[in-house]
Amino acid sequence: MDTTHRESPATGGSPAPREHGRRKVIGAGLGVLAAAAAGGGVYWATRGGDAPGPSTPAPPWTPPAHVPASELDTKWVGVQTHDVAVAESFGAWLGRPLDVVVVFNSDANWAALSGPWFAMAPPAGQDWGQWVRDDPDTRTLVVSTGLVPAGPPEDWRARGAAGEYDAHWTTFAENLVSKGLGSSIVRLGWELNGDWYETHYIGSTEAQREAWKAYFRRIVQIITAVEGADFEIDFNIAEGQQDSVTIDEMYPGDDWVDIIGVDVYDSYISPIDPTARWEEKDAKVNSLSAVIAFAAERDKPISIPEWAMVAAGDTQGGGDSPEFVNQIADAVVGAEVRYQAYFNVPEGGVGMTLADAPRGRAAFLSRFGASGDAGPVAG
């Protein structure tokens, strides 16, 4: 969502053990600012172009074997939180354990980015490495991370593509693997088409976008080459036109992407009628249906890493809307979906949680709860 997301500490039957990560198939073996105590988010603007620089050859890498989207259509249910207790209580309310939890890495500096706080030095109640290790067959962490620390040089995309930051990404992957998080979904440069993120905005020019894509590919090759790594890579855009650049102009290529994600909020739409709101959203560039179609053409599953009802107000939110919840659920049922996660905090312009939306909450429980039709696919 194109406003600041800040984490707040408040807020069916058990799924079969999952096969983590498609890259394991061939043995590849090859904004949020999270402070030490909790998660937070800041969006910045970024400007300027990327000039080419001296290049370091990328390490040897073999693209992973393709896995059909149907085999990754797990429809896992998740929530965004940095507190384990919040995730557990959400699962208890849902009537089934959560499959995924979305967290945000720090972008304070390279040491913080490459040594994720939630794994290396977690505060009490926020040890997500332990959460996964306690039940690795049914739990997956979704790691949202920027591509550079805050305050990057103007040409950071080109520098990254040339290999200047390689060592940091090796350390990032090694640290996650060392804490039992080597099968995480890495949401690399999430909402990349939003200029509110200086740490991973794809850019406003073709040159910037091409450098960004080259850097993205390089990061994927580095982190998946670390011994013990079995990451899944989520290429995750924000719904809407942003710079009117379509997803196909931003996409780095099939070999470097496992999941194609899109964040969807019930906001910035003027019609009040829920059906008219959805139709107008669907007409936007990079709408949910457009991303589903784009992924289907490539036989990739989608994700909805962030979605939520939004309070009425400056962001033109739809408020308590069971219609919006059911529209998302219908999309999940009809598509091949790896996971979806509800952004159940009021910060970031959302202005409400499920607790503030009794009708929407009932619809969510009905569709995604233990007996819902939009929950995990048995496998």
Side-chain angles (χ1 to χ4, degrees):
M1 187 177 185
D2 52 351
T3 52
T4 302
H5 289 177
R6 284 191 171 89
E7 167 67 345
S8 169
T11 151
S14 299
R18 79 276 309 272
E19 181 75 14
H20 280 290
R22 77 178 178 95
R23 295 176 184 272
K24 178 185 276 183
V25 173
I26 63 164
L30 306 177
V32 174
L33 175 63
V42 180
Y43 294 76
W44 296 267
T46 183
R47 23 299 60 236
D50 282 43
S55 179
T56 301
W61 184 74
T62 302
H66 176 70
V67 176
S70 60
E71 295 184 21
L72 299 173
D73 181 23
T74 48
K75 304 190 192 304
W76 290 336
V77 176
V79 71
Q80 189 276 310
T81 183
H82 283 171
D83 293 287
V84 174
V86 171
E88 291 177 346
S89 63
F90 194 93
W93 167 74
L94 203 58
R96 56 174 311 282
L98 293 179
D99 306 286
V100 300
V101 170
V102 175
V103 299
F104 293 89
N105 195 14
S106 172
D107 61 7
N109 49 50
W110 273 117
L113 192 154
S114 63
W117 65 270
F118 49 84
M120 307 309 293
Q126 299 181 343
D127 190 341
W128 291 102
Q130 188 63 55
W131 180 76
V132 171
R133 293 193 300 273
D134 285 345
D135 195 353
D137 287 334
T138 63
R139 294 174 176 175
T140 297
L141 194 67
V142 179
V143 177
S144 314
T145 187
L147 305 189
V148 287
E154 189 174 15
D155 61 345
W156 63 266
R157 301 169 188 83
R159 289 173 181 243
E164 184 170 329
Y165 309 133
D166 288 2
H168 300 298
W169 289 107
T170 297
T171 301
F172 169 86
E174 289 174 343
N175 280 330
L176 289 180
V177 170
S178 74
K179 297 300 182 179
L181 294 172
S183 293
S184 298
I185 294 171
V186 181
R187 197 174 161 222
L188 189 60
W190 80 99
E191 294 187 1
L192 57 110
N193 54 327
D195 64 3
W196 49 88
Y197 281 126
E198 71 166 354
T199 61
H200 48 282
Y201 175 42
I202 193 168
S204 59
T205 68
E206 183 178 359
Q208 288 178 331
R209 290 192 287 271
E210 290 305 313
W212 187 98
K213 288 188 282 185
Y215 182 30
F216 182 100
R217 291 190 289 263
R218 190 173 187 113
I219 294 171
V220 172
Q221 293 177 201
I222 290 168
I223 67 175
T224 58
V226 167
E227 184 176 358
D230 191 25
F231 301 118
E232 291 180 71
I233 307 301
D234 192 343
F235 172 78
N236 174 205
I237 69 168
E239 178 199 46
Q241 67 183 37
Q242 310 309 338
D243 291 330
S244 298
V245 178
T246 59
I247 188 171
D248 60 299
E249 297 176 80
M250 299 182 281
Y251 190 61
D254 288 341
D255 287 342
W256 297 271
V257 173
D258 299 303
I259 304 163
I260 299 175
V262 57
D263 293 352
V264 183
Y265 287 87
D266 189 18
S267 59
Y268 295 106
I269 297 292
S270 56
I272 297 175
D273 176 73
T275 300
R277 289 179 67 84
W278 188 259
E279 289 174 350
E280 184 165 322
K281 286 176 72 64
D282 196 53
K284 287 184 176 183
V285 174
N286 301 324
S287 66
L288 175 58
S289 64
V291 172
I292 289 172
F294 181 84
E297 290 174 1
R298 285 150 186 80
D299 199 20
K300 303 276 187 184
I302 72 151
S303 67
I304 312 176
E306 296 180 31
W307 70 277
M309 294 175 284
V310 177
D314 292 342
T315 57
Q316 298 177 304
D320 182 2
S321 176
E323 295 87 357
F324 177 73
V325 173
N326 282 316
Q327 287 156 344
I328 293 289
D330 289 345
V332 170
V333 170
E336 290 171 321
V337 179
R338 189 57 158 159
Y339 72 96
Q340 56 81 17
Y342 195 81
F343 195 86
N344 197 38
V345 294
E347 285 78 15
V350 177
M352 64 189 298
T353 70
L354 286 170
D356 304 310
R359 296 186 304 134
R361 182 174 68 247
F364 189 98
L365 187 61
S366 173
R367 301 301 299 275
F368 297 105
S371 58
D373 64 326
V377 175

